[in-house]
Amino acid sequence: MSRGKGDGDQKKRLVTWIVVLGIICGCVYLYSRNSGTSALEYGSKSLRKLGSSYLGGDDDGDEASSKSGEEVQGDVTLKSIPVCDDRHSELIPCLDRNLIYQTRLKLDLSLMEHYERHCPVPERRFNCLIPPPPGYKVPIKWPKSRDEVWKVNIPHTHLANEKSDQNWMVVKGNKISFPGGGTHFHYGADKYIASIANMLNFSNNILNNEGRLRTVLDVGCGVASFGGYLLSSDIISMSLAPNDVHQNQIQFALERGIPAYLGVLGTKRLPYPSRSFEFAHCSRCRIDWLQRDGILLLELDRLLRPGGYFAYSSPEAYAQDEEDLRIWREMSALVERMCWKIAVKRNQTVIWVKPLTNDCYMEREPGTQPPLCKSDDDPDAVWGVPMKACITPYSDREYCILLLIFFEDFQY
């Protein structure tokens, strides 16, 4: 008896929902008729208008409306955004070197200020859509895109000629292929990454160390093959390079589908909070780590998590000429004062490890440089914040978290 009653209630609820949905559909239909066009029709018309303006065709809409860039929809006036001309197809608004030349900004080139962000004043800003290159194709999908991209999407091949002996990239017909080489690892990023894991005694020569190492900052990344080959090891790498003479290197990285950022270690903090990365990497990145009391290394220190690594592959780590030996001695003394230790040094690569606790900082002699940052310094304040030549000690909360992580790893 109760079962039959329950079936009746279910039927009543079903009929009620059908009636409600019918009312809603009817209201939507009446609204679309009264407004003169549906949302789908408006979207299609807007896309046609944008496409015709870029291709130089005529719009199907009102001629006066097309000329003014405005279109009336009921009581609302819609404005379309014009497409920039082809001269600006690779414009990067706040990293526009032409703007720097034209405005004659007084920047210190030795500090790489000219590679940092300098946004134009409102009256000099472009209010248009950046057009794709002529003949642009839908990008090749990952993971195939790691190894090849359409040449027409990034029509710049000078890097292929300049770095041909280092296997950065090779032009093959209508595509650009990436063999995985780099300035320091001509025979492939995969072999180089495995060698680093082997140096650290990670199991199976896999750098993610059974899931303990997950985030990497690659400084001076080239076309980001190092970061691209880390993805298969479940590691996310942020590849960093400036808009310098190799101006298209980050463009290639992004076209390949590799996370990358156009920036530089200059005078401002990188736009990441403290303790963002477990591993930092510099392979022939041509950075003067000793300048300004080691401020660039101290920025890496801010970004590295407790126990994080810095892998450095450069002539200073192995060359025996007088200048390289001097740089190595001074760099070794600096990182020692920062409480970094050499985890391993082999062939052309040295890997330092950051301390897990504040103990070493507290045991330093008074007046040791670099100093600890002041207590009111916020290491997570980054946007437009100048770098600081100081060490950020761990807070009590971070120390407790570290103990928990260590205990869990030990139990595991």
Side-chain angles (χ1 to χ4, degrees):
M1 190 75 178
S2 60
R3 182 177 178 182
K5 185 179 180 180
D7 292 340
D9 291 341
Q10 289 181 358
K11 290 180 180 179
K12 289 180 181 180
R13 284 197 295 269
L14 179 61
V15 171
T16 302
W17 277 111
I18 291 174
V19 172
V20 171
L21 288 174
I23 294 172
I24 292 173
C25 291
C27 292
V28 171
Y29 174 73
L30 291 173
Y31 175 79
S32 65
R33 284 179 62 87
N34 292 334
S35 63
T37 182
S38 67
L40 180 61
E41 289 171 335
Y42 163 65
S44 300
K45 191 170 184 180
S46 297
L47 287 173
R48 287 198 302 270
K49 184 172 183 179
L50 175 61
S52 63
S53 65
Y54 174 60
L55 297 173
D58 296 328
D59 185 52
D60 294 334
D62 181 74
E63 185 177 354
S65 172
S66 299
K67 290 180 179 179
S68 64
E70 297 182 356
E71 184 177 350
V72 178
Q73 295 286 339
D75 297 331
V76 179
T77 300
L78 305 174
K79 293 185 178 181
S80 62
I81 300 176
V83 178
C84 305
D85 62 43
D86 291 341
R87 292 176 302 167
H88 305 303
S89 63
E90 295 182 355
L91 174 69
I92 309 173
C94 293
L95 292 170
D96 183 7
R97 285 181 291 181
N98 290 327
L99 174 70
I100 294 175
Y101 300 145
Q102 292 167 7
T103 55
R104 298 182 181 179
L105 294 177
K106 296 181 179 180
L107 304 175
D108 192 331
L109 303 187
S110 66
L111 303 183
M112 299 295 177
E113 282 188 297
H114 54 305
Y115 293 140
E116 294 183 318
R117 290 174 58 86
H118 302 283
C119 296
V121 295
E123 56 268 23
R124 293 184 67 96
R125 293 174 187 171
F126 292 91
N127 187 25
C128 54
L129 301 173
I130 303 297
Y136 185 83
K137 293 185 177 183
V138 175
I140 297 171
K141 293 182 179 180
W142 184 269
K144 192 176 179 181
S145 65
R146 187 196 70 177
D147 302 324
E148 62 179 19
V149 300
W150 296 114
K151 183 174 68 174
V152 70
N153 289 5
I154 310 180
H156 304 284
T157 58
H158 66 280
L159 271 180
N161 299 324
E162 183 180 342
K163 300 292 184 179
S164 59
D165 60 329
Q166 298 172 8
N167 282 329
W168 277 34
M169 48 191 280
V170 179
V171 178
K172 293 184 177 180
N174 62 352
K175 293 180 180 178
I176 297 175
S177 66
F178 301 88
T183 304
H184 187 74
F185 41 92
H186 302 176
Y187 300 106
D190 52 346
K191 297 180 180 63
Y192 175 63
I193 292 168
S195 70
I196 292 176
N198 180 266
M199 290 173 66
L200 293 169
N201 293 319
F202 289 169
S203 62
N204 301 317
N205 294 338
I206 298 176
L207 194 60
N208 80 343
N209 192 24
E210 299 180 349
R212 296 181 181 88
L213 198 157
R214 301 156 299 170
T215 54
V216 170
L217 177 66
D218 185 19
V219 181
C221 64
V223 292
S225 290
F226 182 80
Y229 278 82
L230 286 175
L231 288 167
S232 60
S233 298
D234 295 329
I235 296 174
I236 295 178
S237 175
M238 178 54 68
S239 301
L240 173 74
N243 187 26
D244 58 8
V245 291
H246 303 146
Q247 55 185 293
N248 304 106
Q249 53 191 342
I250 291 297
Q251 195 174 0
F252 282 116
L254 295 173
E255 182 71 18
R256 297 172 71 185
I258 302 169
Y261 171 71
L262 199 56
V264 68
L265 283 166
T267 65
K268 301 290 194 303
R269 285 176 171 175
L270 294 181
Y272 311 106
S274 63
R275 328 294 186 225
S276 290
F277 301 97
E278 289 145 339
F279 192 99
H281 173 254
C282 162
S283 171
R284 302 285 186 96
C285 55
R286 300 186 300 175
I287 293 176
D288 179 9
W289 297 106
L290 297 174
Q291 64 173 285
R292 293 174 285 159
D293 301 318
I295 195 170
L296 304 184
L297 267 179
L298 291 164
E299 174 64 1
L300 284 190
D301 184 83
R302 182 186 70 84
L303 294 171
L304 281 175
R305 292 176 182 169
Y309 298 99
F310 175 44
Y312 184 57
S313 298
S314 184
E316 294 85 25
Y318 63 88
Q320 295 299 310
D321 63 272
E322 184 176 342
E323 179 61 14
D324 286 325
L325 288 172
R326 179 193 66 80
I327 294 173
W328 172 252
R329 285 193 298 267
E330 294 185 17
M331 195 168 175
S332 298
L334 172 61
V335 297
E336 184 177 357
R337 296 194 302 272
M338 292 168 54
C339 294
W340 290 10
K341 303 293 184 182
I342 291 181
V344 61
K345 184 175 184 287
R346 185 187 301 170
N347 299 329
Q348 301 180 6
T349 302
V350 58
I351 303 176
W352 285 286
V353 59
K354 184 179 173 179
L356 281 167
T357 69
N358 287 330
D359 293 347
C360 176
Y361 303 144
M362 300 298 106
E363 294 170 358
R364 300 190 312 165
E365 294 291 332
T368 300
Q369 298 294 322
L372 297 181
C373 296
K374 296 180 179 178
S375 58
D376 60 352
D377 175 64
D378 182 3
D380 297 330
V382 296
W383 195 252
V385 176
M387 291 181 187
K388 298 181 180 179
C390 60
I391 301 170
T392 304
Y394 307 132
S395 65
D396 293 337
R397 178 177 175 275
E398 287 174 318
Y399 184 70
C400 292
I401 293 174
L402 280 171
L403 290 177
L404 289 172
I405 294 173
F406 176 78
F407 179 74
E408 288 179 0
D409 286 345
F410 179 77
Q411 291 290 96
Y412 178 78

